[in-house]
Amino acid sequence: MKTRPTGNVSNADWMGSLAPKLTSMPLKHLAVPGSHDSFSFWVDEKAPVGPDQKAVVKHLAAVFRLLAKKVMKKWSMTQNLTFKEQLEGGIRYFDLRVSSKPGEPGHEIYFIHGLFGHKVRDGLNDINNFLNAHRKEVVFLDFNHHYAMEEEHHRYLIRMVQEVFGSKLCKICVVEEISLNYLWEQKYQVLVFYHHQSAEGCPLMWPGNNIPAPWANTTDTGKLIKFLETTLDERAKRGTFHVSQAILTPQVKTIVKGLVRGLRNHLVERNLPTIMTWVESQKPGVDGVNIITSDFVELTDFASTVIKLNDLLLDDRAIK
């Protein structure tokens, strides 16, 4: 995959640069920046509409062909940066939705969000190459949506993950025991969460319920922030990581109003200041934020803002 040059590489080793007090804490107490629909920096306008879409969308795409797909692309892309660029910028949690291509021979798996993206194997190799060069950095890979996948597709994907990352994969254990120090000692760099029963019994595929990511499903920033606060208050004190999805979700009427402008121009950019104000006001720790995800992570200093929240944990008064 081609990557574009990025000016911000200062967060490439942020985990390895944390104070010892932070690296000995449970990872579930640290603030970690993540990206929503992490792979959607490139989608294929020439491929069929994905099986994650409703029949009416597939029909419109069949009628209007490339024009419809150009509109879909504007609403399907939630990131501009490649995996490598996101990693260099500090992103450590990746929201992954995957699918086979119906009718294609073999069991190849692709990223998907309305339209098909790159092959999953290519994306995983990009992540692994970064980890090889940054041995103290750790990533969360959250395979949370699977489309058009039979049992053999799941076996293919699970085997692929193990082939790509090998001994970097962290075995399932008690979440409270996972600190950066623990991961470094074991030479683990990847925690994989697999939201499908096909992974049951595999000691390297963490169950999805270990990383809840409640979804507000709203275009209203006020409702989003209230939802984020409520789900933080309800966060289990033990047992899981936690994802705060600081994102707005377009409804049909939103897309109709901003058809040509797309997700970024119509919805994201004008609401980011309010969302970022909420992010800046958070604290990690026992009752605080853990992973926070955003669309278009490069539009603000999102990753740096989330990473900086960890400084609050160096002050004992910030830890409840």
Side-chain angles (χ1 to χ4, degrees):
M1 282 184 238
K2 293 181 180 177
T3 61
R4 298 174 300 284
T6 176
N8 179 15
V9 295
S10 60
N11 291 327
D13 295 289
W14 73 263
M15 286 180 158
S17 303
L18 290 174
K21 181 175 180 179
L22 299 178
T23 63
S24 62
M25 282 184 187
L27 190 50
K28 61 174 279 191
H29 293 164
L30 298 185
V32 177
S35 56
H36 169 241
D37 279 319
S38 307
F39 48 83
S40 60
F41 48 84
W42 182 85
V43 291
D44 187 358
E45 296 174 39
K46 296 177 183 176
V49 173
D52 60 332
Q53 293 300 293
K54 294 178 181 176
V56 64
V57 176
K58 294 177 184 177
H59 175 69
L60 289 171
V63 173
F64 294 103
R65 299 181 182 255
L66 195 57
L67 177 62
K69 289 182 183 175
K70 284 187 180 298
V71 172
M72 283 187 69
K73 181 177 179 179
K74 288 190 175 185
W75 289 93
S76 294
M77 292 180 68
T78 62
Q79 304 297 335
N80 287 323
L81 302 184
T82 64
F83 281 134
K84 181 174 183 286
E85 292 165 344
Q86 290 182 47
L87 286 159
E88 288 174 342
I91 299 301
R92 294 294 178 267
Y93 166 91
F94 294 93
D95 165 25
L96 306 176
R97 294 129 195 258
V98 296
S99 177
S100 71
K101 280 186 180 176
E104 182 180 83
H107 302 120
E108 198 60 68
I109 306 296
Y110 299 82
F111 295 119
I112 192 165
H113 190 220
L115 298 170
F116 285 98
H118 286 290
K119 291 180 181 178
V120 171
R121 186 180 293 274
D122 292 340
L124 299 185
N125 281 328
D126 285 351
I127 293 171
N128 191 52
N129 288 338
F130 174 87
L131 295 175
N132 284 336
H134 303 271
R135 290 293 184 176
K136 286 195 166 185
E137 300 308 294
V138 173
V139 298
F140 297 80
L141 303 183
D142 192 358
F143 290 92
N144 51 58
H145 286 71
H146 306 82
Y147 299 97
M149 288 176 63
E150 304 294 337
E151 193 64 35
E152 58 267 29
H153 292 107
H154 285 285
R155 283 198 296 267
Y156 176 85
L157 177 56
I158 291 168
R159 187 167 62 248
M160 178 202 303
V161 171
Q162 295 181 68
E163 288 171 357
V164 171
F165 295 111
S167 61
K168 292 186 183 74
L169 292 170
C170 178
K171 294 175 184 173
I172 299 171
C173 60
V174 178
V175 171
E176 274 79 12
E177 294 177 0
I178 303 282
S179 65
L180 285 173
N181 285 349
Y182 168 80
L183 295 168
W184 295 342
E185 286 167 12
Q186 303 297 323
K187 293 184 167 49
Y188 293 151
Q189 289 183 274
V190 184
L191 290 92
V192 177
F193 299 84
Y194 204 90
H195 298 241
H196 193 273
Q197 61 190 20
S198 297
E200 287 177 10
C202 178
L204 301 171
M205 301 289 118
W206 290 63
N209 59 14
N210 276 262
I211 193 159
W215 175 42
N217 192 17
T218 182
T219 58
D220 184 303
T221 51
K223 289 180 180 177
L224 169 65
I225 288 168
K226 186 174 181 181
F227 178 86
L228 290 170
E229 294 289 351
T230 301
T231 50
L232 264 184
D233 288 342
E234 294 170 353
R235 179 184 174 187
K237 299 227 177 2
R238 293 186 175 83
T240 68
F241 297 101
H242 182 85
V243 181
S244 296
Q245 297 198 65
I247 59 165
L248 295 172
T249 304
Q251 313 299 319
V252 172
K253 62 182 180 181
T254 319
I255 296 173
V256 170
K257 282 183 181 176
L259 199 62
V260 178
R261 297 185 70 207
L263 178 67
R264 173 177 169 173
N265 293 330
H266 185 69
L267 189 62
V268 175
E269 286 185 342
R270 61 194 173 94
N271 290 299
L272 262 180
T274 304
I275 293 173
M276 288 305 297
T277 298
W278 179 83
V279 173
E280 290 164 1
S281 69
Q282 296 311 297
K283 289 181 180 179
V286 176
D287 297 315
V289 290
N290 179 203
I291 297 159
I292 307 177
T293 60
S294 176
D295 289 325
F296 301 108
V297 294
E298 82 289 350
L299 291 183
T300 63
D301 288 331
F302 170 73
S304 296
T305 300
V306 175
I307 293 165
K308 193 174 180 182
L309 295 177
N310 290 305
D311 291 345
L312 297 170
L313 294 173
L314 297 174
D315 179 350
D316 288 329
R317 290 172 295 178
I319 305 172
K320 298 179 182 179

